[in-house]
Amino acid sequence: LRNFPLFEQLDDEYLTEISKLCSKRVYTKGESIFLEGDEGDELYLVISGVIQIYQDNHSRDVVLSIFREGDFFGEMALLQNERVRSASARTIEKSTLCILKKRHFIPLVNSKPEILIGILGTALDRLRDANKLIMDLTIHDVRTRIARMLLRLTEQHGVPSADGILIDLKLTHQQLADMTGTARETVTKLLLELQNEQLIRNDQRKIIVCNLDGLRNILDVN
Ligand code: CMP
Protein backbone atom coordinates (compact mmCIF):
# COMPACT_ATOMS: atom_id res chain seq x y z
CA LEU A 1 0.00 0.00 0.00
CA ARG A 2 3.03 2.24 0.47
CA ASN A 3 3.12 2.64 -3.35
CA PHE A 4 -0.32 4.25 -3.46
CA PRO A 5 -0.12 8.07 -3.70
CA LEU A 6 -3.42 8.07 -1.82
CA PHE A 7 -1.76 6.68 1.31
CA GLU A 8 1.60 8.36 1.01
CA GLN A 9 1.12 10.53 4.10
CA LEU A 10 0.09 7.69 6.39
CA ASP A 11 2.51 6.07 8.81
CA ASP A 12 3.41 2.38 8.67
CA GLU A 13 1.26 1.44 11.62
CA TYR A 14 -1.83 2.89 10.00
CA LEU A 15 -1.02 1.26 6.66
CA THR A 16 -0.79 -2.11 8.38
CA GLU A 17 -4.26 -1.50 9.84
CA ILE A 18 -5.65 -0.68 6.37
CA SER A 19 -4.02 -3.70 4.78
CA LYS A 20 -5.74 -5.93 7.35
CA LEU A 21 -9.08 -4.56 6.17
CA CYS A 22 -8.33 -5.22 2.49
CA SER A 23 -8.76 -8.44 0.61
CA LYS A 24 -6.65 -9.31 -2.41
CA ARG A 25 -8.24 -10.67 -5.58
CA VAL A 26 -6.50 -11.90 -8.74
CA TYR A 27 -8.24 -11.42 -12.10
CA THR A 28 -7.30 -13.08 -15.38
CA LYS A 29 -6.77 -11.05 -18.55
CA GLY A 30 -10.07 -9.79 -19.99
CA GLU A 31 -12.09 -10.52 -16.85
CA SER A 32 -14.99 -8.28 -15.90
CA ILE A 33 -14.71 -6.60 -12.48
CA PHE A 34 -18.12 -4.93 -12.50
CA LEU A 35 -20.62 -3.53 -14.98
CA GLU A 36 -22.10 -0.08 -15.35
CA GLY A 37 -25.39 -0.01 -13.41
CA ASP A 38 -24.26 -2.57 -10.82
CA GLU A 39 -24.62 -1.69 -7.19
CA GLY A 40 -21.22 -1.17 -5.67
CA ASP A 41 -19.86 -1.12 -2.18
CA GLU A 42 -16.17 -1.76 -2.84
CA LEU A 43 -13.16 0.44 -3.59
CA TYR A 44 -10.45 -1.09 -5.77
CA LEU A 45 -6.74 -0.41 -5.49
CA VAL A 46 -4.58 -1.67 -8.33
CA ILE A 47 -1.60 -3.65 -7.05
CA SER A 48 -0.55 -4.89 -10.50
CA GLY A 49 -1.94 -5.27 -14.01
CA VAL A 50 -3.98 -2.99 -16.24
CA ILE A 51 -7.67 -2.08 -15.89
CA GLN A 52 -9.91 -0.46 -18.48
CA ILE A 53 -12.87 1.72 -17.46
CA TYR A 54 -15.43 1.81 -20.26
CA GLN A 55 -19.02 2.38 -21.21
CA ASP A 56 -20.71 -0.09 -23.48
CA ASN A 57 -22.55 1.61 -26.27
CA HIS A 58 -24.14 -1.49 -27.89
CA SER A 59 -22.05 -1.45 -31.03
CA ARG A 60 -18.77 -0.48 -29.40
CA ASP A 61 -17.06 0.42 -26.16
CA VAL A 62 -16.06 3.91 -25.21
CA VAL A 63 -12.93 3.77 -23.06
CA LEU A 64 -12.86 6.46 -20.37
CA SER A 65 -9.61 5.61 -18.68
CA ILE A 66 -6.91 3.05 -18.08
CA PHE A 67 -5.63 2.33 -14.60
CA ARG A 68 -2.57 0.52 -13.34
CA GLU A 69 -0.39 -0.01 -10.28
CA GLY A 70 -0.98 2.70 -7.68
CA ASP A 71 -4.36 3.81 -9.10
CA PHE A 72 -7.76 3.33 -7.49
CA PHE A 73 -11.31 3.22 -8.83
CA GLY A 74 -14.88 2.52 -7.76
CA GLU A 75 -15.06 5.48 -5.38
CA MET A 76 -18.11 7.04 -7.07
CA ALA A 77 -20.71 4.40 -6.22
CA LEU A 78 -19.08 4.02 -2.84
CA LEU A 79 -19.33 7.68 -1.88
CA GLN A 80 -22.64 8.46 -3.52
CA ASN A 81 -25.30 6.57 -1.64
CA GLU A 82 -27.98 5.05 -3.85
CA ARG A 83 -25.85 5.56 -6.95
CA VAL A 84 -24.78 2.63 -9.11
CA ARG A 85 -21.49 2.09 -10.97
CA SER A 86 -21.07 4.91 -13.48
CA ALA A 87 -19.03 2.75 -15.88
CA SER A 88 -17.81 -0.81 -16.32
CA ALA A 89 -14.36 -2.13 -15.40
CA ARG A 90 -12.42 -5.03 -16.87
CA THR A 91 -8.81 -6.16 -16.89
CA ILE A 92 -6.76 -5.94 -20.08
CA GLU A 93 -3.86 -7.78 -18.45
CA LYS A 94 -3.84 -10.27 -15.58
CA SER A 95 -4.30 -8.04 -12.52
CA THR A 96 -4.21 -8.13 -8.76
CA LEU A 97 -6.52 -5.77 -6.91
CA CYS A 98 -6.82 -4.87 -3.28
CA ILE A 99 -10.46 -4.46 -2.29
CA LEU A 100 -11.75 -2.28 0.50
CA LYS A 101 -15.38 -2.66 1.56
CA LYS A 102 -17.53 0.40 2.21
CA ARG A 103 -18.08 -0.61 5.84
CA HIS A 104 -14.31 -0.42 6.38
CA PHE A 105 -13.71 2.55 4.10
CA ILE A 106 -16.14 4.98 5.76
CA PRO A 107 -14.66 4.72 9.31
CA LEU A 108 -11.22 5.02 7.71
CA VAL A 109 -11.93 8.35 6.00
CA ASN A 110 -13.70 9.58 9.12
CA SER A 111 -10.53 9.10 11.09
CA LYS A 112 -8.19 10.27 8.30
CA PRO A 113 -9.91 12.99 6.26
CA GLU A 114 -6.73 13.47 4.21
CA ILE A 115 -7.59 10.18 2.43
CA LEU A 116 -10.89 11.70 1.31
CA ILE A 117 -9.14 14.86 0.16
CA GLY A 118 -6.72 12.69 -1.84
CA ILE A 119 -9.62 10.85 -3.48
CA LEU A 120 -11.33 14.14 -4.28
CA GLY A 121 -8.13 15.55 -5.81
CA THR A 122 -7.78 12.52 -8.07
CA ALA A 123 -11.48 12.62 -9.00
CA LEU A 124 -11.06 16.28 -9.98
CA ASP A 125 -8.03 15.44 -12.13
CA ARG A 126 -10.24 12.89 -13.85
CA LEU A 127 -12.90 15.56 -14.38
CA ARG A 128 -10.29 17.80 -15.99
CA ASP A 129 -9.30 14.92 -18.30
CA ALA A 130 -12.96 14.30 -19.11
CA ASN A 131 -13.39 18.00 -19.96
CA LYS A 132 -10.43 17.79 -22.32
CA LEU A 133 -11.93 14.72 -23.92
CA ILE A 134 -15.25 16.53 -24.49
CA MET A 135 -13.35 19.38 -26.12
CA ASP A 136 -11.41 16.93 -28.25
CA LEU A 137 -14.46 15.05 -29.44
CA THR A 138 -16.40 18.24 -30.12
CA ILE A 139 -13.78 20.37 -31.80
CA HIS A 140 -10.87 18.35 -33.08
CA ASP A 141 -10.33 16.09 -36.04
CA VAL A 142 -9.28 12.47 -35.62
CA ARG A 143 -5.58 13.12 -36.23
CA THR A 144 -5.52 15.67 -33.39
CA ARG A 145 -7.50 13.34 -31.10
CA ILE A 146 -5.05 10.52 -31.70
CA ALA A 147 -2.07 12.83 -31.13
CA ARG A 148 -3.60 14.02 -27.85
CA MET A 149 -4.36 10.48 -26.74
CA LEU A 150 -0.77 9.42 -27.46
CA LEU A 151 0.50 12.40 -25.45
CA ARG A 152 -1.81 11.52 -22.56
CA LEU A 153 -0.69 7.87 -22.61
CA THR A 154 2.94 9.03 -22.73
CA GLU A 155 2.37 11.18 -19.65
CA GLN A 156 0.58 8.46 -17.71
CA HIS A 157 2.29 5.30 -18.89
CA GLY A 158 5.52 6.41 -20.61
CA VAL A 159 8.93 4.91 -19.84
CA PRO A 160 12.20 6.12 -21.40
CA SER A 161 13.58 3.82 -24.11
CA ALA A 162 16.52 3.96 -26.52
CA ASP A 163 14.68 5.77 -29.31
CA GLY A 164 12.08 7.77 -27.41
CA ILE A 165 9.37 7.17 -24.85
CA LEU A 166 7.73 3.77 -24.81
CA ILE A 167 4.02 3.71 -23.92
CA ASP A 168 4.13 0.83 -21.47
CA LEU A 169 0.79 -0.73 -22.40
CA LYS A 170 -0.11 -3.35 -24.97
CA LEU A 171 -3.12 -1.81 -26.68
CA THR A 172 -4.80 -3.06 -29.83
CA HIS A 173 -5.83 -0.61 -32.56
CA GLN A 174 -9.43 -1.37 -31.59
CA GLN A 175 -8.75 -0.30 -27.99
CA LEU A 176 -7.08 2.89 -29.24
CA ALA A 177 -10.10 3.52 -31.47
CA ASP A 178 -12.41 3.11 -28.46
CA MET A 179 -10.39 5.77 -26.66
CA THR A 180 -10.68 8.32 -29.45
CA GLY A 181 -14.20 7.77 -30.73
CA THR A 182 -13.15 6.50 -34.11
CA ALA A 183 -12.89 3.29 -36.16
CA ARG A 184 -10.06 0.76 -35.94
CA GLU A 185 -9.18 1.27 -39.63
CA THR A 186 -8.74 4.99 -39.01
CA VAL A 187 -6.36 4.35 -36.11
CA THR A 188 -4.31 1.96 -38.23
CA LYS A 189 -4.10 4.49 -41.06
CA LEU A 190 -3.20 7.42 -38.80
CA LEU A 191 -0.59 5.52 -36.78
CA LEU A 192 1.07 4.60 -40.06
CA GLU A 193 0.93 8.23 -41.11
CA LEU A 194 2.55 9.34 -37.81
CA GLN A 195 5.16 6.62 -38.21
CA ASN A 196 5.99 7.79 -41.74
CA GLU A 197 6.46 11.29 -40.32
CA GLN A 198 8.85 9.71 -37.78
CA LEU A 199 6.83 10.97 -34.84
CA ILE A 200 6.17 7.48 -33.48
CA ARG A 201 7.15 3.86 -34.02
CA ASN A 202 4.47 1.24 -33.84
CA ASP A 203 5.27 -2.42 -34.20
CA GLN A 204 2.90 -5.07 -33.02
CA ARG A 205 1.16 -3.54 -30.01
CA LYS A 206 4.12 -1.43 -28.93
CA ILE A 207 4.13 2.34 -29.47
CA ILE A 208 7.24 4.47 -29.01
CA VAL A 209 6.91 8.25 -29.23
CA CYS A 210 10.12 9.32 -31.00
CA ASN A 211 9.34 13.02 -31.40
CA LEU A 212 7.31 14.45 -28.56
CA ASP A 213 7.49 18.06 -29.83
CA GLY A 214 6.38 16.96 -33.28
CA LEU A 215 3.35 15.29 -31.74
CA ARG A 216 2.58 18.41 -29.67
CA ASN A 217 2.77 20.54 -32.84
CA ILE A 218 -0.22 18.64 -34.21
CA LEU A 219 -2.27 20.07 -31.32
CA ASP A 220 -0.98 23.60 -31.89
CA VAL A 221 -1.86 23.78 -35.55
CA ASN A 222 -5.42 22.56 -35.00
P1 CMP B 1 -17.81 3.92 -9.94
O1 CMP B 1 -18.87 4.74 -10.59
O2 CMP B 1 -18.07 3.35 -8.62
O3 CMP B 1 -17.44 2.73 -10.95
C1 CMP B 1 -16.79 3.08 -12.17
C2 CMP B 1 -15.53 3.80 -11.84
O4 CMP B 1 -14.78 4.26 -12.94
C3 CMP B 1 -15.89 5.12 -11.10
O5 CMP B 1 -16.43 4.79 -9.85
C4 CMP B 1 -14.57 5.81 -11.14
O6 CMP B 1 -13.65 5.27 -10.21
C5 CMP B 1 -14.10 5.43 -12.56
N1 CMP B 1 -14.49 6.45 -13.57
C6 CMP B 1 -15.73 6.79 -13.98
N2 CMP B 1 -15.69 7.74 -14.93
C7 CMP B 1 -14.39 8.02 -15.12
C8 CMP B 1 -13.68 8.93 -15.98
N3 CMP B 1 -14.32 9.72 -16.85
N4 CMP B 1 -12.34 8.96 -15.89
C9 CMP B 1 -11.68 8.14 -15.04
N5 CMP B 1 -12.28 7.27 -14.22
C10 CMP B 1 -13.62 7.20 -14.26
Side-chain angles (χ1 to χ4, degrees), residues 7 29 31 38 74 81 103:
F7 299 136
K29 179 177 171 172
E31 195 173 341
D38 284 355
N81 284 331
R103 65 172 186 279

Side-chain angles (χ1 to χ4, degrees), residues 34 53 64-65 67 73-77 84-87 126 130:
F34 55 72
I53 300 293
L64 301 174
S65 199
F67 294 137
F73 61 94
E75 76 293 350
M76 290 170 66
V84 292
R85 296 290 185 201
S86 62
R126 290 174 187 170

